[in-house]
Amino acid sequence: MSMLAVAALTVAGSAVLVPPREAVAASGPTDHVLFWNKVLLDAYRQTRNTGPGPLAHAGAVMHTAIWDAVDSVVPAADRRFRPYRTVVPAPGTASVEAAIDQAAHDTLTGLFPGFNPGHDFAADFRQALATARATIPASATETARDQGAAVGSEVARVAIGSRPSTTPAWDPSYTLDNVPGAWRPTDPGQSAPTNPNWGLLAPFAMTSGAQFRPQPPAQATSYAALLADPAYAAQVNEVKSLGSATSTTRTADQTKQAFFWANDVDGTYKPPGQLFDITRTVAQQKGLTQTENARLFALVAVALADASIVAWDAKYASSIDLWRPQSAIRLADPSTSPAITPDPAWQPLSVNRAGQRFSPPFPAYVSGHATFGAAWAGVMRGIFGDQVTFTATTDDPQAVGATRTFTTFTAAAQENALSRIYLGVHYRWDADAGVAAGNSLGAYVRGNVLTPAPAYVPGAGWTFAGTADYDGDGHSDTIARDDASGSLYLFPGAGDGYSSRARVEIGTGWNNATFAGVADYTGDGKPDVVSRNNGNGSLYVHPGTGGTGHLAGGVEIGSGWQNFTFAGVADYTGDGKPDVVTRNNGNGNLYVYPGAGGTGQVTGAVEIGSGWQNFTFAGVADYTGDGKPDVVTRNNGNGNLYVYPGAGGTGQVTAAVEIGSGWQNFTFAGVADYTGDGKPDVVTRNNGNGNLYVYPGAGGTGQVTAAVEIGSGWQNFTFAGVADYTGDGKPDVVTRNNGNGNLYVYPGAGGTGQVTAAREIGNGW
C-alpha cells in the first residue's frame, strides 16, 4: 500500500491537517449539508443511554460550524446573514464543500466518543469524510479542496472550543426530593435520572436556561399544594385513561400517534433526529440550495439544543420535579388526592424493544418532546410559513414503516406534544407548557441567530445614485456605482436596516456619469435612474425594469447640463411627474425642469429662485402643509433658518419666512415628520455640544418650536439624512460614525422621544 501525502496548511495562525487525496466526483452534485445531517442521525442511532440533550447539543455544534464554514467561503459582498461564531479568512478559490466536510468531520469526531464507548465513531466519521470529499465537483482543484478543508478545520476548532465541556451541566449527581409528587425511578434498573443538571448548560441562543421557564404545574408552590389541587387529579386521570397499556378510551389513531413520535429507545434517532429528518424532507421538497440548507439546519439545530436546556431547566431547576404518571397512579393517596383511585398495576403504553413497559428516566414537567417540536416548528414557520404539506417518517420499533402527513408545522408539533399523553408518560400540562416555551424559543432563535447581515455598503471607490424601492418588495434599496469597474449595483434593503439578499449588478459602463437621483420618472411604477453623461453633458433617464433586473437603455431627456449641481428628482410641479430641481452654478439660480412623463425630455427650465450662492440646504419637504414642496435652508451670512414656500406648478418659491435664528453652529440631518404629527420637523446636530435635536415644525409658516434633545455624543458623526428607514412609520436618523467609518440607523421613537440604540447598516463609509 503506497503512502499518501498529508498536506499541512495554515489558517488564522493554526496548523491543520488535510486528509489524503481522494477520487474526484464523476456523478451529479451532492448537497453536503444534507449528507452530514444524515451522518449525524446515523451516529445518533449508535449512541447508548444518551439523553436527547447531549445529542441536540452535538447537532448544534456541527451545524453551526457548517454554517460558519459556508459563510467564511462566501465573498463578503454576498454574505446575506451573520456568522454564528466566526468567519475565517478564506481564499476566493476555496471549495465550500471541502470546508463543510472538514467542519462536520472534526466537530463530530470531537463530540461523540463518550456516547457509546463500545463503538468506533471516529472510523465512521473518517469514512464519511472520504465519501463526502469524493462527491466534491470535479471543477474544484486540489488546492481549492485543501483551502476549504483548512477553513473547515479552523471553524470546527473554534466551535468545539467555544462550548464548555466540564461545567455543572454534565454533572450526573442528583438528590431525590423524596416526597409524594416528586420524581423517583419508575422501572427496574433505573437509579439516577438523565442529565439532571442539563438546564445549566450555556445556551446557543438564549440568555439563560431559565429565559423561557414556565410557571410550575397549576402554579403550585409546593408538592403538597399540587397534589391537593383538583386540576392535578384531572391531569392524572386523563393520562390514566388515555395512556394505559390496556386503555379502552384511546383511539386506534391515538395509539399510532403515540408510537410514531416516541423514538425513546436506543437504536433510534431520538426526538431531535426525527425533527432533523422532517427538516430534510421539507428542504428537499422546497429545492433549497446547499447554502440555504446550511442556514436552515443551523437554525433548527440551535432551536433543538436550546429546547433541551429549556425543558431540563423546567424539569429540575424549578420548585417541582414532577413524578411520572406511572408513579402518580400507582402511588396515589386518596387522603390527599381523593379524586384519584390508585392502581398499583398500572402501566404506560410506552414499551422498549424487549417488550417491557417503561417511563423515561427524568421528571415529567415539562415535556421535552413538546418543547423540541414547538421550537422546531417556530423556526420552520419563520422560514417557510406555516402552510406546508409534508410527510414524516419515524424510527420507533413499534411503528416501523409508518408515515404521517401534515399540512402545517404547528399541527405536527401539537400532535407530537399530545402523543406523550397517549403513550402514558406525560400529563397534558407537560405538553401545553412545553409547546408554549418552545414557541417562544423558536421565535427568539429566528430573531436573534444568523440574522440578516449588515448591508454590504461600498466604501471608498463607490458613488451613490440614490435610494428607492427598486425591486418592488416594499423596502428601500440602495443603488451605487463601483467606480473601478463602472458597474451599477442594487443593494436590496430588508426594511429593518439590513440587507437580506446579495447585491445584484443592474448596469455596466457607468464610469462617466453624475447622478441626479432615483425616482419613477417614466411613471410605470418602477424607479428609474436619472443621470448626466459627463462626456457630452446630456441628461438621461435609464428606466428600471422591476425586480432585480438590469436598467433599460438610457433615453436622452436633456442636453447642456455641464454646469449644474443637482438638488434632486421629485414632483415639484404637482402634476404627478417627477421633475429635476437643480442649481446653476454659474448664476446661482435655482431651477425646476418639469418632467414630461414616460421617457419624454424634461421641458424648458423654469427659474424658481435666485441668489442661492450663500445658502446651506436643510432639505426639501412640504413644511407648510399645503401640498406643495418647500425649500428649508440656512442663510450662512446671518445664521437664520428660512422656509421658502413652493408656489405649486412651476411657480417660484415665494418669499422666505424666517423660522429660526442662531443656526450658525448646526449641521443639518434633514427635514422630515419626525414627531409623527403630520408636520415636518428639522433634525440637526449642535456642533458645540454634539447633541442631536428635533425642532418640531409648527405647521404653516410658523417657527420651529423649542428643541428637544433626542441623542447625545454626535460630535463625530456625519449625517446621511432623516427618513423612515425601518418602515415603522417613525423617521429615523441615518449617519456615519467618522471614527470607525460605519453607517448606522438610529430608529426614531416617535413623538419627541429620543432616537433608540444604533444599528449598524454598513461599513467602509
Side-chain angles (χ1 to χ4, degrees):
M1 183 177 294
S2 62
M3 296 295 292
L4 297 176
V6 179
L9 301 181
T10 300
V11 174
S14 300
V16 297
L17 292 179
V18 177
R21 305 294 185 219
E22 71 294 316
V24 175
S27 58
T30 294
D31 187 309
H32 287 236
V33 177
L34 298 183
F35 174 88
W36 284 101
N37 182 258
K38 184 179 183 301
V39 172
L40 174 72
L41 269 56
D42 288 341
Y44 283 175
R45 296 182 178 103
Q46 296 297 331
T47 62
R48 295 294 179 266
N49 303 313
T50 304
L55 299 184
H57 173 269
V61 174
M62 185 194 81
H63 275 298
T64 55
I66 286 176
W67 168 254
D68 280 354
V70 171
D71 205 38
S72 294
V73 175
V74 169
D78 296 323
R79 286 179 187 147
R80 296 172 51 186
F81 300 97
R82 297 175 186 271
Y84 176 72
R85 184 71 65 183
T86 186
V87 172
V88 175
T93 53
S95 164
V96 66
E97 288 82 11
I100 291 172
D101 296 342
Q102 200 70 44
H105 168 271
D106 289 5
T107 51
L108 292 179
T109 300
L111 292 167
F112 266 81
F115 294 161
N116 182 356
H119 184 78
D120 191 352
F121 285 107
D124 291 347
F125 301 144
R126 283 195 301 272
Q127 180 58 52
L129 179 61
T131 301
R133 284 178 63 93
T135 67
I136 294 175
S139 58
T141 66
E142 293 298 342
T143 298
R145 293 161 182 253
D146 291 349
Q147 291 169 337
V151 170
S153 184
E154 175 62 13
V155 164
R157 185 192 67 78
V158 173
I160 293 176
S162 67
R163 298 302 303 168
S165 58
T166 57
T167 67
W170 302 89
D171 181 359
S173 61
Y174 178 74
T175 301
L176 293 171
D177 286 344
N178 254 338
V179 297
W183 183 85
R184 73 279 317 281
T186 55
D187 303 294
Q190 280 190 13
S191 56
T194 300
N195 303 119
N197 296 295
W198 193 252
L200 301 175
L201 187 72
F204 283 81
M206 300 182 296
T207 57
S208 76
Q211 184 174 353
F212 300 111
R213 179 189 293 175
Q215 291 294 313
Q219 300 189 23
T221 56
S222 67
Y223 288 106
L226 175 64
L227 270 58
D229 194 316
Y232 168 77
Q235 294 272 326
V236 173
N237 284 330
E238 180 185 34
V239 68
K240 181 183 181 184
S241 174
L242 289 175
S244 168
T246 58
S247 173
T248 58
T249 56
R250 183 180 58 246
T251 68
D253 189 60
Q254 287 171 338
T255 300
K256 292 178 180 178
Q257 293 176 38
F259 287 128
F260 181 85
W261 290 104
N263 294 294
D264 287 317
V265 299
D266 284 345
T268 69
Y269 47 25
K270 301 293 179 68
Q274 186 171 29
L275 296 169
F276 273 133
D277 193 61
I278 300 173
T279 305
R280 171 202 300 280
T281 296
V282 174
Q284 292 175 317
Q285 186 174 301
K286 293 289 187 180
L288 266 59
T289 66
Q290 182 171 263
T291 299
E292 290 169 334
N293 277 328
R295 180 171 182 267
L296 169 64
F297 278 84
L299 288 171
V300 166
V302 166
L304 295 179
D306 276 9
S308 73
I309 298 171
V310 169
W312 260 246
D313 169 85
K315 288 177 184 294
Y316 293 106
S318 54
S319 58
I320 292 177
D321 298 0
L322 185 62
W323 59 9
R324 289 283 177 174
Q326 183 172 334
S327 300
I329 295 166
R330 291 180 177 183
L331 303 176
D333 183 352
S335 68
T336 56
S337 302
I340 303 174
T341 301
D343 182 354
W346 188 90
Q347 289 185 315
L349 176 65
S350 176
V351 63
N352 64 20
R353 294 181 188 275
Q356 299 165 328
R357 305 291 172 179
F358 76 98
S359 296
F362 34 85
Y365 187 84
V366 296
S367 164
H369 273 69
T371 313
F372 282 128
W376 165 82
V379 170
M380 299 296 278
R381 283 193 301 266
I383 293 178
F384 301 109
D386 201 19
Q387 304 294 321
V388 176
T389 298
F390 57 91
T391 298
T393 60
T394 181
D395 258 11
D396 195 89
Q398 306 301 321
V400 176
T403 62
R404 295 187 71 81
T405 299
F406 303 91
T407 58
T408 66
F409 298 117
T410 299
Q414 186 66 21
E415 182 179 287
N416 174 31
L418 295 179
S419 73
R420 306 302 280 173
I421 302 172
Y422 312 142
L423 200 66
V425 297
H426 276 290
Y427 313 94
R428 184 172 292 270
W429 54 29
D430 302 346
D432 292 346
V435 167
N439 283 338
S440 297
L441 170 60
Y444 184 82
V445 169
R446 279 283 297 126
N448 292 275
V449 180
L450 311 190
T451 52
Y456 178 83
V457 181
W462 289 77
T463 299
F464 293 95
T467 302
D469 180 15
Y470 184 87
D471 57 14
D473 65 353
H475 306 308
S476 291
D477 313 309
T478 298
I479 296 176
R481 177 185 68 208
D482 180 347
D483 294 336
S485 68
S487 292
L488 199 64
Y489 288 90
L490 169 70
F491 292 83
D496 61 353
Y498 297 102
S499 173
S500 61
R501 287 173 287 133
R503 63 180 179 174
V504 179
E505 182 184 299
I506 59 172
T508 58
W510 286 79
N511 311 64
N512 201 28
T514 296
F515 298 104
V518 179
D520 180 15
Y521 185 88
T522 60
D524 63 355
K526 304 169 185 174
D528 315 306
V529 176
V530 180
S531 70
R532 177 183 66 211
N533 182 316
N534 297 325
N536 61 17
S538 293
L539 194 66
Y540 292 86
V541 60
H542 292 256
T545 56
T548 55
H550 263 56
L551 292 164
V555 179
E556 185 182 324
I557 58 173
S559 58
W561 286 78
Q562 289 88 338
N563 198 31
F564 286 83
T565 297
F566 296 107
V569 179
D571 181 16
Y572 184 87
T573 61
D575 62 355
K577 304 169 186 174
D579 316 304
V580 179
V581 181
T582 184
R583 179 182 65 207
N584 184 314
N585 298 326
N587 59 20
N589 294 344
L590 196 64
Y591 294 88
V592 60
Y593 284 76
T599 54
Q601 290 212 350
V602 289
T603 57
V606 178
E607 182 188 315
I608 57 173
S610 58
W612 286 79
Q613 292 91 335
N614 199 31
F615 285 83
T616 297
F617 297 100
V620 178
D622 181 15
Y623 185 88
T624 61
D626 62 357
K628 305 167 185 174
D630 315 306
V631 179
V632 180
T633 184
R634 176 183 67 208
N635 183 315
N636 296 326
N638 61 18
N640 292 344
L641 195 67
Y642 294 88
V643 60
Y644 285 76
T650 55
Q652 289 212 352
V653 288
T654 58
V657 178
E658 182 188 317
I659 57 172
S661 59
W663 287 78
Q664 290 92 334
N665 200 29
F666 286 83
T667 297
F668 297 107
V671 179
D673 180 15
Y674 185 87
T675 60
D677 62 356
K679 305 168 185 174
D681 316 303
V682 178
V683 181
T684 184
R685 176 186 68 210
N686 182 316
N687 297 327
N689 60 19
N691 293 343
L692 194 66
Y693 295 89
V694 60
Y695 285 76
T701 55
Q703 289 214 349
V704 289
T705 58
V708 179
E709 182 186 319
I710 57 172
S712 58
W714 289 77
Q715 291 92 333
N716 200 29
F717 287 81
T718 297
F719 297 105
V722 179
D724 180 16
Y725 187 88
T726 59
D728 63 355
K730 304 168 185 174
D732 316 304
V733 179
V734 181
T735 182
R736 177 186 68 211
N737 182 319
N738 297 325
N740 61 18
N742 294 343
L743 194 66
Y744 295 88
V745 59
Y746 285 76
T752 55
Q754 290 214 350
V755 290
T756 57
R759 183 180 300 157
E760 182 187 320
I761 58 172
N763 50 55
W765 285 74

